[in-house]
Amino acid sequence: MTEARTLKIKTSLARQMAQPGGRTVAEVERRANERLDRHRDDVMITVAGTITELELVASAAAPGSEPQVYKLASSLLDMAGFFDTGPLYDAGYSLCEVADRMAVSGAWNWPSVQVHVRAMRMILTGGCQADATSDALLMGLRSVAAKART
Amino acid sequence: MSAQDRVNLEQSTVLLIDDNPQALDMLSSVFQGFGVKEQIKCASATAAVRIIQHRAVDLIVIDCADPEMDSYAFARWLRRETPAPIRFTPVMLLTGHASQSKVQEGRDCGVSFVVTKPLTPAVLLRRILWLAGDEREFVESANYVGPDRRVRNFGPPLGIPGRREGDLSTHVGAAVEANMDQSDIDMLLKPQRVAL
């Protein structure tokens, strides 16, 4: 068992934030949301482009291209994760989970990838709305993910 | 946190590190909205290392999957290879999906927080406010350097001696009753005439 040394510290951030002044939480949130929202259209274009890339990789199903799936799905989450993309984010997360588990186990299954990518395209086309269709799609993806876990 | 609470980042410098330029721009917009004094943007963790070697910052936010140095490796470097007080700088690690191999690394690399996406400015702000009031001790051991990972300290598990000075023995344990009133304490200390 190693000896642990503990230190009481006060960070410069804590000292600065304890100073009087600043803005209210409501105002700061409003300003940040406004600025973030200016990126929304560009991000959705990027997300659509990433899904197109995933479609190409999934339909080619080329040996050696498996790591591309996780990389692309992960990059989609990085972008979509800044906005409320609801079911699209969930489908992307499920693809990351499935790709990661299949890569670790060595049992890669392209149809599992393809069904995810098709679902993501449908959700994107539907405006990323959570509705009966997206619920049904996500339920199907959950079954695929559960299979990848076993 | 209520909407009328105040946030003061007007004196703070934030280092933003993201290998995705579009995501870096979005993070930058969010922190601009938060009203930080200065933000330094880095497209890689290795570029951030060069900055940290020359100047201090107050908060680091990182989302970097670069195989040369990813978020986890950067945090380990900061905590182990830099002098105080730079090594104490709060670090928020952002991630979309953490692969199985990275979950344990996230726990052990010494970051203040792992924040998973989807994230909103409100979520980020709550984490920053939490960091401002963070009273966790900083732990340095052979296997781990970083803020105490025990957010709530209930002491060591039963039957295992504590490793830290502040650890309560298993005989004492954590307090289970409310604190005494000051008047009760005064009564205990008050000298009283005793008839013998």
Side-chain angles (χ1 to χ4, degrees), chain A:
Chain A
M1 195 177 282
T2 57
E3 188 75 21
R5 192 166 80 101
T6 57
L7 308 160
K8 281 207 179 297
I9 53 158
K10 182 101 175 166
T11 63
S12 58
L13 181 75
R15 279 196 302 274
Q16 291 159 359
M17 290 184 71
Q19 296 292 314
R23 299 183 170 93
T24 64
V25 167
E27 190 188 350
V28 162
E29 271 188 35
R30 182 187 53 75
R31 284 160 46 98
N33 278 315
E34 268 176 23
R35 283 166 173 75
L36 182 60
D37 218 40
R38 292 173 199 161
H39 297 271
R40 183 183 291 272
D41 293 343
D42 288 342
V43 165
M44 292 320 288
I45 291 168
T46 305
V47 165
T50 307
I51 293 176
T52 305
E53 281 185 72
L54 274 167
E55 284 167 338
L56 292 172
V57 172
S59 63
S65 65
E66 293 87 352
Q68 261 318 88
V69 175
Y70 184 85
K71 201 175 165 194
L72 286 167
S74 173
S75 118
L76 183 140
L77 290 191
D78 277 344
M79 302 301 293
F82 279 94
F83 299 101
D84 180 16
T85 48
L88 180 66
Y89 189 90
D90 294 341
Y93 192 92
S94 179
L95 179 54
C96 278
E97 195 71 14
V98 166
D100 182 40
R101 285 186 185 274
M102 291 192 306
V104 170
S105 68
W108 191 266
N109 178 254
W110 280 108
S112 298
V113 176
Q114 287 152 357
V115 75
H116 273 85
V117 177
R118 273 190 224 120
M120 286 158 75
R121 173 61 72 190
M122 283 180 75
I123 292 168
L124 182 71
T125 309
C128 301
Q129 296 299 313
D131 52 23
T133 310
S134 66
D135 285 351
L137 287 168
L138 290 176
M139 196 183 292
L141 298 185
R142 273 193 285 275
S143 306
V144 175
K147 197 180 162 206
R149 274 196 290 273
T150 56

Side-chain angles (χ1 to χ4, degrees), chain A residues 13 17 24-26 28-30 32-33, chain B residues 1-3 5-9 30-31 34 59 61 90 92 94 112-116 118-134 136 151:
Chain A
L13 181 75
M17 290 184 71
T24 64
V25 167
V28 162
E29 271 188 35
R30 182 187 53 75
N33 278 315
Chain B
M1 175 177 79
S2 95
D5 286 343
R6 296 191 83 80
V7 183
N8 189 354
L9 289 164
V30 170
F31 277 88
F34 288 169
L59 172 66
V61 181
M92 284 169 62
L94 310 183
S112 312
F113 265 128
V114 175
V115 183
T116 52
L119 60 88
T120 60
V123 169
L124 268 179
L125 196 57
R126 266 200 296 276
R127 293 287 181 260
I128 293 170
L129 285 166
W130 197 93
L131 284 174
D134 186 6
R136 287 181 295 174
V151 175

Side-chain angles (χ1 to χ4, degrees), chain B residues 45-106:
Chain B
T46 45
V49 166
R50 288 193 290 274
I51 287 168
I52 294 284
Q53 282 167 336
H54 291 100
R55 60 166 302 179
V57 298
D58 305 304
L59 172 66
I60 298 170
V61 181
I62 182 165
D63 183 357
C64 197
D66 186 352
E68 195 180 341
M69 184 185 242
D70 64 8
S71 304
Y72 308 91
F74 174 83
R76 276 193 301 274
W77 169 82
L78 181 83
R79 295 301 188 218
R80 291 171 183 271
E81 307 295 331
T82 60
I86 294 171
R87 66 164 59 194
F88 304 140
T89 310
V91 180
M92 284 169 62
L93 188 155
L94 310 183
T95 179
H97 177 267
S99 61
Q100 281 176 289
S101 59
K102 293 292 178 189
V103 171
Q104 197 169 337
E105 263 195 277

